[in-house]
Amino acid sequence: MNRVKKIVFLVIIAISTNLFSQTKADALKDAKIASNATLNMDFETVLKHTLPSILEMMGGKDAALNVLKQTFNGMKAQGFVFEKADINGVSEIVKEQGQFRCVIEGFNQMVMSGQRISSKSYLLGIYNEVDKYWWFLEAKQLKNTVLSEKVLPNFETQLDIPEDDMKLEPIED
């Protein structure tokens, strides 16, 4: 009987590990989908992967869609160009406060007003267990306690959320 228990235990560990690693792979895949959607100005997809409480703060999905379109159209009119939006990696996934979470490292490169803007930034990923995909929010926003309380009340994490890093350089012809 002891041998049967060991085999069952090993099978459970193998299944759990496989599901866990698939979730991390899914976080990477979904972050890349959201990143590419930003580059392609596919705001429907961007909003699908946006934490619902953020959409609520923006007045709902339709209002958020309108804000994104207006913002990007205004930036485009001023010469803004998104050159790159890459996802560099995903942290380990942790379960905290009843949610699966991870930190996503991204790199964005943009051009505006004769300057190239390079930014390494971080997203907090939260797994949507109902619909089986990841939601994201800018991790730096969680350092604003007023905003954090509105978006994720009583938020606590053991995840390391690094500071964003942005560089500006003039574009020389």
Side-chain angles (χ1 to χ4, degrees):
M1 191 66 173
N2 240 356
R3 191 170 140 191
V4 172
K5 285 181 183 178
K6 285 180 184 178
I7 291 172
V8 169
F9 181 71
L10 290 174
V11 168
I12 290 171
I13 288 175
I15 291 170
S16 298
T17 303
N18 190 32
L19 289 174
F20 193 71
S21 66
Q22 286 176 343
T23 303
K24 186 172 178 177
D26 286 344
L28 182 62
K29 178 187 72 136
D30 287 353
K32 286 182 178 184
I33 287 169
S35 179
N36 287 333
T38 302
L39 262 182
N40 297 320
M41 296 190 184
D42 174 3
F43 301 126
E44 290 280 343
T45 301
V46 170
L47 294 179
K48 172 186 172 185
H49 291 282
T50 300
L51 190 68
S53 59
I54 293 172
L55 297 180
E56 289 172 25
M57 284 180 55
M58 295 176 78
K61 182 182 174 187
D62 291 337
L65 188 58
N66 190 38
V67 167
L68 284 175
K69 285 179 181 177
Q70 287 181 1
T71 300
F72 274 83
N73 285 338
M75 290 167 49
K76 190 175 180 181
Q78 294 176 15
F80 176 87
V81 176
F82 235 126
E83 293 182 317
K84 287 183 186 177
D86 295 328
I87 300 300
N88 295 335
V90 178
S91 73
E92 291 304 313
I93 295 171
V94 298
K95 185 149 189 181
E96 300 174 321
Q97 296 178 301
Q99 299 173 324
F100 287 102
R101 299 175 178 165
C102 64
V103 175
I104 310 287
E105 180 184 309
F107 175 80
N108 296 307
Q109 186 171 294
M110 304 144 279
V111 171
M112 186 167 181
S113 303
Q115 292 189 324
R116 177 161 286 115
I117 305 161
S118 300
S119 171
K120 185 190 295 186
S121 59
Y122 300 88
L123 300 171
L124 177 70
I126 299 175
Y127 188 62
N128 173 352
E129 293 186 67
V130 173
D131 297 320
K132 309 293 185 217
Y133 60 85
W134 286 83
W135 291 316
F136 304 104
L137 68 145
E138 290 181 9
K140 72 178 180 182
Q141 301 302 334
L142 295 170
K143 295 181 182 192
N144 175 333
T145 53
V146 173
L147 185 59
S148 176
E149 276 301 309
K150 290 180 181 177
V151 175
L152 286 169
N154 303 312
F155 177 75
E156 294 177 9
T157 187
Q158 296 299 312
L159 288 167
D160 176 35
I161 301 175
E163 294 292 326
D164 290 357
D165 181 33
M166 184 172 25
K167 293 183 176 119
L168 298 172
E169 62 181 79
I171 298 173
E172 299 175 14
D173 293 330

